[in-house]
Amino acid sequence: MANEVQTGGTPDLSNARVGRSSVLRTCPLPFDRERHRRRLGFDRFARIFVIAGGLLVIFCILAILFVIAAKAWPLFQDATVTPVPATAVNLSEPVLAVGSDEHRQIAYVVNAKGVACYALSGPGGPGSSLGTAQPIADSGKLLPLNGARVVAALPISGKTLPLVLSDGRLALPELKFIVTFPEGADGPRRVEPRLSCEPPLAIHGAGPGNPIRAAALHIEDGDLVACLAIGGGKVVVLHRQEEHESTGLGLGGLGAEEGEEDTQTTVALKTDEPLTALALSESSRYLFAGTEAGRVLAYDLEKNVPAGDHVIAHGPITRLAALIGGRTLVAGDARGGVHTLQMARRERNEHDIAEPPSRLEVMHAFDAHDGPVAAIAASLRNKTFATSDAQGNVFLHYGTTARTLLRTRAEVGTLSALALTPKSDGLLAAGTDARLAAWDMNNDHPEATLGSLFGKVWYESYAEPKFIWQSTSATQDFEPKFSLTPLIVGTLKGTFYALIFAVPLGLLGALYASQFMHPRLRQWVKPTVEIMAALPSVVLGFLAGLWLAPVVEGIAPGVFSMILVLPMTIFLSLLAWERVPSKWRHRLVPHGYEVFLLCPVVLAGVALAIFGGGYLNSWFFGGDYRTWMNKHEMTYDQRNSLVVGIAMGVAVIPIIFTIAEDSLSNVPKHLTAGALALGSTPWQAAIRVVLPTASPGIFSAIMIGFGRAVGETMIVLMATGNTALMDWNIFTGFRALSANIATELPEAAVNSTHYRILFLSALLLFGLTFVVNTAAEVVRLRLRKRYALL
């Protein structure tokens, strides 16, 4: 009985365990080998797919980087020249001038007897004469020079090749190059020179006993202005103006064609020094004269008054030439010095009633020659020019960047003539040994240097060196300004103001949502904020430019008063809320739903700030803050950095909020519980425990938001004035790198300097984001290592 009771009352558990284990051993779980094999195959495929996808992403990024770098690399390649076989011109006279047609098939040579043309390439073969060195021809007939000889030739202007004769006359022959395709459009090109000339013009005061010592000529819109030095500091100014209605009478009577009027006036420069060289500025307003004492004089032909002078050498000025556009003057002297000058405009201030006068200033000094400068040749395409000395040393310069691009040597005896081809793709030089030296020239991007892209440059018509971006203009003689520094500053400026707006709101919102908001409410708030990240930036830019900018302009004083009014409103509301009994506070607003109490307070603070801003505008700014700012030399643009900061901040907040909230929510709960158990308040636990622990993720959120703001295009394109400025004024606009690329790349000529600099801008953006993300990852790993033990 006892055994029965014992057996029935207390079962033998040990035997039960033994029995259960024996059952497990004798009844193993079924193993499906085919299913296991398929699972391993899927795992292996997924691993390979993920690795291949990652490698493909890296390859695509590197490919994009390579393409961008390949497009930008030619900017930094040096100019090169390649000699071509010399052409024998078989002239017994020294060469005075040389040039070619734009296709580089025909070269013209000017000597004391006249003009001759030679084949550089084409059907006639190199060096075959197309016309002998005969006197100037008019309609195929020889023009009697009455024993005179050509003593000087000016650079060709349009189709006019001015020649100065030894008897004091000025000849203005026209040299045309007729292009034909005898074998059809797909056949070889044939270029034929056509030379015609009217009778030479007699110059008042000049003659066999008083020859013309220097000359300059400028043609613009059919109006011709020629200046000729005749000794004693006197310059004869010849003005030929086309008449729209022909009267058939030439007022000057000096060979003027019907419909043209010639006038000659004499200008006396205030100098006792013999004049050695002349040049004319744009629109023929300023006459520049070089003297034997190394001075350059400027004379205002429009006002008929001297405009200044500058000593640039201790020897005679041997050559003067104006670069394309006529604003920059190149001067060469007897000691080999090469300088550029301009009529610099002084900045106008509030005390100037009239436009301040310009002054002659030296802009740049270039590499000097070992001997006197014998020739200067200016490009017809850009600010490139070449200089040479009599020994045959040829230097190629670029006026804007003050760089000497290359040096070469011409084996033509004593060099006396130099020219750049019309397309600036070749060089021609001639001298005393009856040979014509030629070079193929590769100088595609002389404007681009590290100094011109990132430093201050002294541009034409500016009083001092500046950072300027201005890539296009309405005129062909425009000097492009490619300083990337204003674009970099604009990019950082927009990013800075966007992060000032987005980081506090995004981080504090994430901290509240993760630590204090009720979970049920958080389930609605977080997806809503994440959906905001999907808003198209073009929509935000459209709203910011057309709606937000005018609104902010009308309430700008109220917007800035929010900085003080909102904290004070919230603080006073908190004091009032604390006086409400505790039981009523929990009934009115349950824990985790305090945001519904705060929203009306914030709206009331915003309304109070806007309402009070009107009074601030009346009390402190006389009712119009913009007029007050203008009086104090400040600027307010409707589309400014403040508007961009708000609009771009709205685009960045969802990114910062989402990543930061995930980091804060993933902090282990035992850390918060431990802090609360030790007596910390929830706020203290969030600030001193949760926030430092989640700092790696928070830092990543800020850096990703920074990258989003740096690369933003449409918002900064539509909500700013898109003007390249160099200030950090929140009331002015800016131009960012990304917006500049989007605006100008469709209009840039393929493979031009402008086109490649835009690719360089993209490379800078790529590098900036890469550096920032790399630095952010390094900091994140250090923070993660520091708080890993928690």
Side-chain angles (χ1 to χ4, degrees):
M1 187 70 179
N3 292 334
E4 293 176 359
V5 172
Q6 183 179 3
T7 303
T10 305
D12 191 353
L13 298 178
S14 61
N15 292 334
R17 293 194 188 95
V18 173
R20 187 162 54 249
S21 62
S22 63
V23 171
L24 293 175
R25 285 196 300 269
T26 57
C27 299
L29 294 175
F31 180 74
D32 191 343
R33 293 183 179 275
E34 182 64 24
R35 182 178 181 184
H36 181 67
R37 187 181 62 81
R38 289 198 303 268
R39 184 183 296 114
L40 292 178
F42 282 129
D43 291 344
R44 190 178 298 110
F45 173 78
R47 183 170 61 254
I48 295 174
F49 183 79
V50 171
I51 294 174
L55 293 177
L56 181 61
V57 170
I58 295 174
F59 173 78
C60 292
I61 293 176
L62 292 178
I64 293 173
L65 177 62
F66 175 78
V67 171
I68 295 174
K71 288 293 186 180
W73 174 249
L75 290 173
F76 304 102
Q77 293 181 342
D78 295 331
T80 59
V81 291
T82 304
V84 297
T87 300
V89 295
N90 297 322
L91 293 177
S92 59
E93 301 286 346
V95 177
L96 301 176
V98 67
S100 75
D101 69 297
E102 62 176 348
H103 303 292
R104 298 170 57 194
Q105 291 189 6
I106 305 297
Y108 65 86
V109 176
V110 180
N111 68 351
K113 295 182 179 180
V115 182
C117 295
Y118 294 84
L120 294 174
S121 63
S128 60
S129 176
L130 298 180
T132 58
Q134 301 202 25
I136 301 172
D138 180 21
S139 301
K141 298 180 181 179
L142 296 180
L143 175 67
L145 299 179
N146 300 326
R149 296 166 61 86
V150 179
V151 297
L154 303 182
I156 192 168
S157 180
K159 300 175 183 178
T160 303
L161 179 61
L163 305 178
V164 178
L165 305 183
S166 59
D167 58 2
R169 291 183 296 166
L170 177 66
L172 300 174
E174 285 193 355
L175 180 60
K176 301 177 183 180
F177 296 99
I178 309 302
V179 179
T180 58
F181 295 87
E183 300 179 11
D186 297 331
R189 179 192 303 110
R190 181 178 180 84
V191 181
E192 297 180 2
R194 301 282 178 84
L195 185 66
S196 61
C197 183
E198 63 185 38
L201 304 177
I203 304 302
H204 297 325
N210 188 24
I212 298 173
R213 291 170 170 78
L217 182 138
H218 179 75
I219 299 176
E220 184 175 352
D221 298 332
D223 292 344
L224 181 148
V225 176
C227 295
L228 306 107
I230 58 175
K234 295 181 179 181
V235 177
V236 176
V237 180
L238 168 67
H239 186 199
R240 169 174 290 182
Q241 185 175 8
E242 290 188 353
E243 295 181 350
H244 298 289
E245 295 183 3
S246 175
T247 61
L249 297 175
L251 298 181
L254 299 174
E257 294 182 358
E258 186 173 292
E260 294 179 343
E261 177 185 2
D262 287 350
T263 58
Q264 295 189 35
T265 57
T266 302
V267 173
L269 303 182
K270 294 182 179 180
T271 179
D272 297 329
E273 305 162 6
L275 303 181
T276 56
L278 295 180
L280 284 167
S281 71
E282 60 171 330
S283 303
S284 304
R285 175 176 179 179
Y286 291 105
L287 167 66
F288 300 103
T291 70
E292 283 192 356
R295 283 202 305 160
V296 176
L297 309 175
Y299 191 88
D300 192 335
L301 296 176
E302 184 177 292
K303 298 181 180 179
N304 201 27
V305 294
D309 64 273
H310 208 294
V311 178
I312 63 171
H314 298 288
I317 302 297
T318 57
R319 290 291 184 271
L320 289 179
L323 298 185
I324 182 173
R327 298 181 182 90
T328 299
L329 178 71
V330 183
D333 59 64
R335 295 196 174 187
V338 178
H339 299 79
T340 54
L341 303 91
Q342 72 161 348
M343 297 300 296
R345 299 176 181 175
R346 182 170 63 85
E347 295 290 343
R348 187 171 185 173
N349 56 50
E350 58 182 2
H351 302 294
D352 292 330
I353 299 177
E355 185 73 21
S358 301
R359 60 184 184 275
L360 184 64
E361 288 194 3
V362 175
M363 298 178 65
H364 305 297
F366 298 81
D367 292 354
H369 291 267
D370 295 331
V373 176
I376 298 176
S379 170
L380 299 178
R381 292 294 183 94
N382 50 36
K383 305 299 179 180
T384 301
F385 65 96
T387 58
S388 63
D389 53 35
Q391 290 74 29
N393 298 309
V394 179
F395 295 175
L396 188 69
H397 316 275
Y398 192 74
T400 303
T401 59
R403 286 185 64 207
T404 298
L405 303 176
L406 60 84
R407 302 183 181 190
T408 188
R409 184 174 178 81
E411 300 296 339
V412 292
T414 301
L415 192 149
S416 57
L418 182 69
L420 286 167
T421 56
K423 292 184 178 180
S424 295
D425 56 355
L427 266 171
L428 296 174
T432 58
D433 66 351
R435 283 194 304 168
L436 183 65
W439 297 267
D440 290 328
M441 186 172 67
N442 182 13
N443 185 31
D444 295 332
H445 311 292
E447 308 96 332
T449 65
L450 292 177
S452 64
L453 293 175
F454 301 103
K456 288 185 177 181
V457 178
W458 195 350
Y459 296 105
E460 293 177 340
S461 302
Y462 283 83
E464 58 185 3
K466 290 186 177 182
F467 298 104
I468 300 175
W469 173 273
Q470 186 182 0
S471 57
T472 56
S473 178
T475 59
Q476 294 183 348
D477 58 5
F478 167 71
E479 182 180 32
K481 304 168 182 63
F482 290 130
S483 178
L484 293 175
T485 303
L487 307 182
I488 297 173
V489 170
T491 301
L492 298 178
K493 178 181 178 180
T495 303
F496 173 74
Y497 288 118
L499 292 182
I500 283 182
F501 181 80
V503 170
L505 293 180
L507 291 185
L508 294 178
L511 181 64
Y512 174 77
S514 63
Q515 302 299 315
F516 302 102
M517 185 176 287
H518 195 279
R520 185 177 299 173
L521 183 59
R522 185 165 60 245
Q523 292 177 357
W524 289 93
V525 171
K526 186 177 179 181
T528 303
V529 176
E530 291 174 348
I531 290 175
M532 290 175 57
L535 287 175
S537 59
V538 65
V539 175
L540 293 175
F542 177 80
L543 293 175
L546 298 183
W547 172 75
L548 182 61
V551 170
V552 171
E553 182 184 20
I555 60 172
V559 171
F560 282 91
S561 64
M562 291 179 192
I563 300 175
L564 295 177
V565 173
L566 277 179
M568 292 177 59
T569 304
I570 295 173
F571 180 72
L572 293 176
S573 301
L574 176 62
L575 293 180
W577 181 250
E578 289 293 333
R579 294 184 175 273
V580 177
S582 177
K583 60 179 181 179
W584 288 104
R585 289 205 303 265
H586 293 299
R587 289 181 181 180
L588 292 174
V589 181
H591 179 67
Y593 290 90
E594 293 84 0
V595 65
F596 291 109
L597 178 64
L598 187 62
C599 287
V601 174
V602 172
L603 293 177
V606 170
L608 181 61
I610 295 175
F611 180 76
Y615 289 98
L616 293 177
N617 190 24
S618 300
W619 294 340
F620 296 100
F621 307 114
D624 189 351
Y625 70 93
R626 298 192 63 176
T627 302
W628 183 88
M629 292 178 66
N630 290 331
K631 290 181 179 179
H632 291 78
E633 298 183 355
M634 292 186 288
T635 304
Y636 184 93
D637 298 330
Q638 185 184 76
R639 299 183 180 184
N640 52 43
S641 302
L642 175 61
V643 175
V644 174
I646 296 173
M648 197 152 58
V650 171
V652 174
I653 283 176
I655 298 174
I656 297 177
F657 174 87
T658 301
I659 300 175
E661 199 277 336
D662 289 339
S663 300
L664 293 167
S665 297
N666 290 330
V667 173
K669 298 299 180 183
H670 69 270
L671 297 178
T672 306
L676 295 175
L678 293 175
S680 297
T681 64
W683 176 252
Q684 290 174 331
I687 295 298
R688 299 183 180 181
V689 177
V690 177
L691 198 61
T693 306
S695 57
I698 293 174
F699 188 77
S700 297
I702 296 175
M703 289 299 101
I704 293 176
F706 177 87
R708 170 72 169 82
V710 165
E712 177 56 47
T713 301
M714 296 310 299
I715 294 177
V716 296
L717 180 63
M718 302 176 70
T720 67
N722 214 25
T723 304
L725 301 176
M726 279 291 295
D727 62 57
W728 289 86
N729 185 358
I730 195 173
F731 299 116
T732 59
F734 57 88
R735 173 174 286 200
L737 287 168
S738 56
N740 187 66
I741 295 171
T743 302
E744 300 192 4
L745 188 59
E747 301 177 358
V750 177
N751 295 332
S752 65
T753 302
H754 182 203
Y755 178 84
R756 297 191 185 277
I757 288 178
L758 293 177
F759 273 90
L760 179 62
S761 303
L763 187 63
L764 289 177
L765 271 179
F766 194 102
L768 180 61
T769 54
F770 177 79
V771 170
V772 169
N773 290 335
T774 302
E777 183 65 15
V778 171
V779 174
R780 187 188 69 83
L781 292 177
R782 289 186 178 181
L783 292 174
R784 185 176 181 180
K785 183 178 180 180
R786 178 178 179 181
Y787 295 105
L789 297 178
L790 296 178

